[in-house]
Amino acid sequence: MVGQRSRVLELAVLGLLHEAPMHGYELRKRLNATLGAFRAFGYGSLYPCLKELLAHGLIAEEAPETTDGAAKPLSRRSKIVYRLTADGKERLQQLLAESGPDAWEDDGFGVHFAFFSQTQADIRLRILEGRRSRLEERLDGVRAAMARTRERMDSYTLELHRHGLESVEREVRWLNELIASEREADIGPGRGGGHHPGGRADPGAAD
Amino acid sequence: MVGQRSRVLELAVLGLLHEAPMHGYELRKRLNATLGAFRAFGYGSLYPCLKELLAHGLIAEEAPETTDGAAKPLSRRSKIVYRLTADGKERLQQLLAESGPDAWEDDGFGVHFAFFSQTQADIRLRILEGRRSRLEERLDGVRAAMARTRERMDSYTLELHRHGLESVEREVRWLNELIASEREADIGPGRGGGHHPGGRADPGAAD
DNA sequence: GTTAGCATGTAAGGAGTTACATGATTTT
DNA sequence: AAAATCATGTAACTCCTTACATGCTAAC
């Protein structure tokens, strides 16, 4: 076994290809648009990943619009459109069903969250709660460290930690809202697969 | 040239050793306490870095408390206390004087900020402003991407971007406060090297 | 017909992390 | 003296970035 692609990129690629078949160049744009500021991938990561997914049979090349006699479908350099295979769909489901550390650590959380609409409600909840615990652990750690070394810290270091702490606290509050929203959606209507996290009560009035 | 140590770790190590000589194990704890949630280094990064700094003459081993006849100072495994050499101090000053991308990108900013009390006032200001520009660029990018693809995004992806955007906006506001504070300190008293970023008007009442 | 931008790839290497291996010192 | 923890180090490996190399397609 060679390349052991990173879970993050693999999930993102499979998730996007599940929505629609695409070629690499486009995939990269959608990738960085979807993940936003969390993460950015270059071709140097993407193409080897596609190559490996292909080798493992999780994705396949599609013949690119052979309207004519299909004399030279992909003889030279041209667009290569990839689509998910059955195995790929299965693998995607498997990745989406993960609710362990991979899904709530800094690296993985953003991607898993980005594909929450394809994730089961109970898994969503477990990931959100896992991330919250993780962040609360971190809060405890930083707060303890600050208490221990407050005297030796100059005002800039202190300010840095204060701001860092506040950022994490903010994310915890955000998670609390999301978790509440998920629970509500789960018990409200009799259905089990609701999806509407946008229940924020302040449209406009930003900044 | 072999290991080209990362600027981040190099600056952090030199900065901490400038405050007081230390051995590696302690250094690592102080490192992670100082950088807080921003970054964490393991021994696998630290020791090779120390080795290289030593080879370049930026730090030196100190004889560890040779109270007795100094028969076996460091024959076997024992604490190795490092201190900055003259070259190391010079290098530290050089790194602290940097106000370019290295100092305001995600990676470097936290470390540079953590050692702001050893940094000149004008450099501090330039780093803060550079970081603010950087973040504003990012805001523009994300906002444009959201405007372009709002329709194709499900509510979770949208929420992810909304939260990410808000986090960056928060950091910009924080930087605005810091910049204002720096400017005030610079013109207020006739002195040129003031340092008091803690001018926040809400003690207590957090959360 | 040539520049600009779309599209695909590879090689080298940077920046650390993880797991391991081992020795020294303090606590129980 | 056994266990915990302090302390130092290395090798392998991960995961991504940068720089390069190439070809195809549309605009001017």
Side-chain angles (χ1 to χ4, degrees):
Chain A
M1 205 154 282
V2 264
Q4 205 68 323
R5 64 217 166 268
S6 81
R7 308 292 256 241
V8 174
L9 189 49
E10 179 181 9
L11 172 55
V13 167
L14 294 180
L16 281 176
L17 288 183
H18 184 248
E19 291 170 4
M22 251 176 290
H23 59 272
Y25 192 86
E26 197 186 345
L27 196 51
R28 191 227 178 195
K29 281 193 302 189
R30 301 264 281 123
L31 204 58
N32 294 331
T34 302
L35 301 184
F38 283 92
R39 223 142 184 344
F41 292 99
Y43 301 116
S45 316
L46 180 55
Y47 283 116
C49 176
L50 286 171
K51 196 178 174 183
E52 222 193 326
L53 291 174
L54 189 62
H56 283 252
L58 302 181
I59 61 177
E61 297 178 352
E62 256 188 3
E65 300 289 326
T66 48
T67 30
D68 65 337
K72 43 187 166 81
L74 28 89
S75 56
R76 309 266 203 84
R77 292 231 180 186
S78 71
K79 281 206 278 196
I80 302 174
V81 176
Y82 294 100
R83 61 167 177 79
L84 277 192
T85 62
D87 281 2
K89 280 175 192 166
E90 202 178 312
R91 174 72 176 150
L92 175 60
Q93 289 313 313
Q94 181 192 326
L95 287 174
L96 287 174
E98 269 191 309
S99 59
D102 277 357
W104 67 55
E105 286 301 320
D106 285 336
D107 260 10
F109 177 70
V111 196
H112 277 263
F113 190 90
F115 292 100
F116 257 21
S117 58
Q118 300 181 40
T119 307
Q120 284 189 333
D122 56 326
I123 304 289
R124 288 202 298 257
L125 202 55
R126 245 185 306 178
I127 292 177
L128 292 172
E129 285 170 342
R131 174 125 189 104
R132 184 175 55 178
S133 306
R134 181 71 191 77
L135 292 182
E136 272 165 352
E137 273 171 37
R138 192 181 301 176
L139 282 178
D140 288 349
V142 175
R143 279 201 266 252
M146 272 181 80
R148 249 187 284 110
T149 59
R150 161 157 284 139
E151 279 72 35
R152 284 184 292 174
M153 285 206 275
D154 60 285
S155 45
Y156 285 108
T157 310
L158 209 63
E159 178 62 20
L160 182 66
H161 281 149
R162 201 196 53 71
H163 178 251
L165 216 53
E166 235 178 67
S167 301
V168 181
E169 283 163 355
R170 240 185 78 72
E171 190 174 343
V172 169
R173 283 196 295 275
W174 180 63
L175 289 168
N176 282 334
E177 283 178 36
L178 291 171
I179 289 168
S181 183
E182 290 282 332
R183 289 232 174 87
E184 231 175 86
D186 224 25
I187 59 170
R191 309 166 55 239
H195 50 88
H196 44 93
R200 302 188 52 77
D202 56 351
D207 203 7
Chain B
M1 203 153 282
V2 265
Q4 204 67 321
R5 64 217 165 270
S6 83
R7 310 292 258 242
V8 174
L9 189 49
E10 179 181 9
L11 172 55
V13 167
L14 294 179
L16 281 176
L17 288 182
H18 185 248
E19 291 171 4
M22 250 175 290
H23 59 273
Y25 192 86
E26 198 186 347
L27 195 52
R28 191 224 177 198
K29 281 192 302 189
R30 300 264 281 122
L31 204 58
N32 294 332
T34 301
L35 301 184
F38 282 91
R39 224 145 182 343
F41 292 100
Y43 301 115
S45 316
L46 180 55
Y47 283 116
C49 176
L50 286 171
K51 197 177 173 184
E52 221 193 323
L53 291 174
L54 189 62
H56 283 252
L58 303 181
I59 61 177
E61 297 179 352
E62 256 187 3
E65 299 290 328
T66 48
T67 31
D68 65 339
K72 43 189 168 79
L74 29 88
S75 56
R76 309 268 202 85
R77 293 232 180 185
S78 70
K79 280 206 280 198
I80 302 174
V81 175
Y82 294 100
R83 61 168 176 78
L84 278 193
T85 62
D87 280 2
K89 280 176 192 165
E90 203 178 311
R91 174 73 177 148
L92 175 59
Q93 290 312 312
Q94 181 193 323
L95 288 173
L96 287 174
E98 267 190 311
S99 59
D102 278 357
W104 68 54
E105 286 301 320
D106 285 336
D107 260 10
F109 177 71
V111 196
H112 276 264
F113 190 90
F115 292 100
F116 256 21
S117 59
Q118 300 181 40
T119 306
Q120 284 189 334
D122 57 325
I123 304 288
R124 288 201 298 256
L125 202 53
R126 245 185 305 178
I127 293 177
L128 292 173
E129 285 170 343
R131 174 126 189 102
R132 185 175 54 179
S133 307
R134 181 72 192 78
L135 292 183
E136 273 164 352
E137 273 172 38
R138 191 180 302 177
L139 283 179
D140 288 348
V142 175
R143 279 201 267 251
M146 271 181 80
R148 249 187 285 110
T149 59
R150 161 157 286 137
E151 279 71 36
R152 284 184 293 175
M153 286 206 275
D154 60 284
S155 46
Y156 285 107
T157 310
L158 209 65
E159 177 63 19
L160 183 65
H161 282 151
R162 202 197 52 71
H163 178 251
L165 217 53
E166 235 178 68
S167 301
V168 180
E169 283 164 355
R170 244 185 78 72
E171 190 173 343
V172 169
R173 284 198 293 275
W174 180 64
L175 289 168
N176 282 335
E177 284 177 34
L178 290 171
I179 288 168
S181 183
E182 290 282 333
R183 290 233 174 86
E184 234 175 85
D186 225 24
I187 59 170
R191 308 167 54 242
H195 49 89
H196 43 93
R200 302 187 51 78
D202 57 350
D207 201 9

